[in-house]
Amino acid sequence: MGAGTMKDKLIIRKIFFDDCEAGMQIASDLYSGSKSLIVPAGTILDEYSLARIAKFKIALVEVFEPAPEICADKPKPKPFEHVYSVQVGKIRNIFESLENGNPLRMEEIRTTVKELVASDIGNRDILHTLNSLRSSDEYTYTHSLNVGILAMMLARWSGHSEAVTKQICYAGVLHDIGKSRISMDIIKKPGKLTVAEYEAIKMHPVEGYNILKKCPVLAEDIRQGVLMHHERLDGSGYPLRVKGPKIHEYGKIVAIADVFDAMVSDRCYCAKESPFSVLAHFKNQFFQHLDVKYLDIFVQKMSVYYLGERVRLSDGSEGEVVYINPQKINHPIVQINGRILDLADETTIAINGLALA
Ligand SMILES: [Fe+2]
């Protein structure tokens, strides 16, 4: 007995509604999609208030909770931001080593995937890091890591086992490894590619497959995922031009992660789009090309994870996304200095992008 408590020190934490319990205290007002106050700040959650939050489908809630006890002899876990930048460096080394004609550095790939899969940080923190640390200079490396992370998350959301999720993470991280065999002048060309250059680029899934073929420890499923990440359901993809049922499941998942990350990133030949705009049109735009079952899960889960993000608006202001209507992902409700703005009503104002620190 006698251990001191820190009951007087409270912090505010944003949690998913699923994690809310009776007895927790709400830290900020909760509003419905039509801007009515549902539960005021300070409310102690009970069955009635929990039912109201559920009824209005509010996904994220701020609650008070005791500040964690500071324990001097316990090492702090590494922030995901740190894990991310270390892994980008490793992927750069792996690509550069392959470009110099060396074999794939399998041990580095293994530690990267192990670190990502074992990372006990919440998906939301991972996404925040992904959004904050996009670098156009290192696009190939950050994109490989982002696709590994997004494919891993989609695999988990889809109910795949941890063993399969890990393999899909491998396929995501390695999906563009074949680009190390293609001239950097073509890969980084800012303008439109010639027919011959595009044909060369289209060989990167095969090149990737051949690189991985030399690593017998990797499962064939991972190689198939890499080989098929540009195949499309209607047969319009490459290099094999196979249709829906013949496309490997890993290839279908990696394709979604690949297209999404490419659209929300600054690439050398194309400016990025806001993730809200990409998610709003993702299903309609790609239902003939990408697997609808995985598309549905991806759009639904990803849009929830952008709740609470700070965004830049076209009128120059910045605010926090407090509600996303699944039918109008591109027009969420934003809180700006305490003022609630429903972008579904304010049609002259749009989201320009995420407001990154
Ligand atoms: Fe690719």
Side-chain angles (χ1 to χ4, degrees), residues 40-53:
T43 302
I44 306 288
L45 288 175
D46 56 13
E47 274 186 37
Y48 172 76
S49 47
L50 283 167
R52 270 181 74 73
I53 299 172

Side-chain angles (χ1 to χ4, degrees), residues 36-62:
S36 322
L37 183 63
I38 303 301
V39 177
T43 302
I44 306 288
L45 288 175
D46 56 13
E47 274 186 37
Y48 172 76
S49 47
L50 283 167
R52 270 181 74 73
I53 299 172
K55 185 179 164 198
F56 286 94
K57 296 188 168 48
I58 295 170
L60 272 178
V61 175
E62 284 188 335

Side-chain angles (χ1 to χ4, degrees), residues 57-356:
K57 296 188 168 48
I58 295 170
L60 272 178
V61 175
E62 284 188 335
V63 294
F64 288 113
E65 66 173 35
E69 220 166 312
I70 296 158
C71 183
D73 54 355
K74 213 176 178 183
K76 271 193 192 166
K78 281 180 282 182
F80 189 73
E81 205 168 301
H82 174 76
V83 173
Y84 184 93
S85 54
V86 169
Q87 301 311 329
V88 168
K90 278 195 197 168
I91 292 175
R92 187 194 311 111
N93 293 342
I94 291 161
F95 266 82
E96 286 173 356
S97 171
L98 281 166
E99 283 161 22
N100 292 329
N102 299 314
L104 181 66
R105 288 153 72 154
M106 201 46 228
E107 201 42 47
E108 290 200 59
I109 293 285
R110 206 198 316 267
T111 54
T112 295
V113 170
K114 201 171 150 196
E115 187 111 29
L116 295 180
V117 173
S119 185
D120 61 353
I121 199 154
N123 282 337
R124 197 164 181 284
D125 297 316
I126 291 179
L127 275 185
H128 191 80
T129 307
L130 229 80
N131 290 329
S132 320
L133 298 172
R134 291 178 185 282
S135 153
S136 52
D137 291 344
E138 302 213 297
Y139 176 71
T140 304
Y141 318 127
T142 52
H143 176 66
S144 296
L145 190 57
N146 293 350
V147 172
I149 292 168
L150 292 168
M152 171 184 82
M153 288 163 59
L154 179 53
R156 281 212 182 107
W157 289 335
S158 308
H160 285 295
S161 68
E162 271 308 289
V164 168
T165 295
K166 193 173 183 182
Q167 290 193 340
I168 290 171
C169 185
Y170 267 107
V173 170
L174 294 167
H175 77 289
D176 271 350
I177 202 79
K179 286 188 177 172
S180 63
R181 295 276 191 255
I182 293 166
S183 162
M184 268 298 146
D185 294 341
I186 300 178
I187 301 285
K188 291 193 169 173
K189 184 173 173 180
K192 205 169 186 293
L193 297 173
T194 65
V195 173
E197 286 165 343
Y198 187 48
E199 288 305 316
I201 287 264
K202 279 161 65 176
M203 286 308 289
H204 78 271
V206 178
E207 296 283 2
Y209 180 86
N210 290 336
I211 291 169
L212 301 183
K213 192 88 181 150
K214 292 178 188 147
C215 305
V217 288
L218 279 179
E220 177 62 17
D221 287 322
I222 297 172
R223 289 185 209 118
Q224 291 293 329
V226 170
L227 179 63
M228 299 205 186
H229 76 273
H230 282 291
E231 300 297 345
R232 298 295 179 252
L233 294 188
D234 60 358
S236 64
Y238 63 85
L240 308 174
R241 300 183 70 86
V242 287
K243 289 190 178 180
K246 292 205 168 154
I247 304 174
H248 195 282
E249 288 301 290
Y250 292 11
K252 290 176 182 172
I253 289 180
V254 172
I256 290 175
D258 182 26
V259 171
F260 178 79
D261 189 67
M263 291 180 80
V264 298
S265 302
D266 265 330
R267 290 160 286 169
C268 51
Y269 50 90
C270 185
K272 66 181 170 186
E273 272 186 68
S274 112
F276 296 92
S277 157
V278 174
L279 288 171
H281 306 298
F282 213 37
K283 278 198 282 183
N284 284 345
Q285 204 174 347
F286 294 109
F287 76 96
Q288 285 178 310
H289 293 158
L290 302 173
D291 187 281
V292 174
K293 170 185 73 206
Y294 291 126
L295 264 182
D296 267 336
I297 296 170
F298 189 78
V299 169
Q300 187 218 326
K301 292 283 189 181
M302 284 294 284
S303 50
V304 170
Y305 280 99
Y306 282 102
L307 265 175
E309 283 294 325
R310 288 193 66 75
V311 287
R312 274 183 295 109
L313 300 179
S314 56
D315 66 352
S317 58
E318 281 189 11
E320 182 184 326
V321 175
V322 291
Y323 182 82
I324 298 175
N325 180 340
Q327 311 307 322
K328 297 175 190 167
I329 296 172
N330 207 10
H331 304 281
I333 295 180
V334 180
Q335 190 166 22
I336 305 161
N337 299 327
R339 183 169 61 96
I340 295 291
L341 184 70
D342 188 343
L343 295 181
D345 298 337
E346 302 286 343
T347 49
T348 55
I349 303 176
I351 292 181
N352 273 0
L354 297 171
L356 302 175

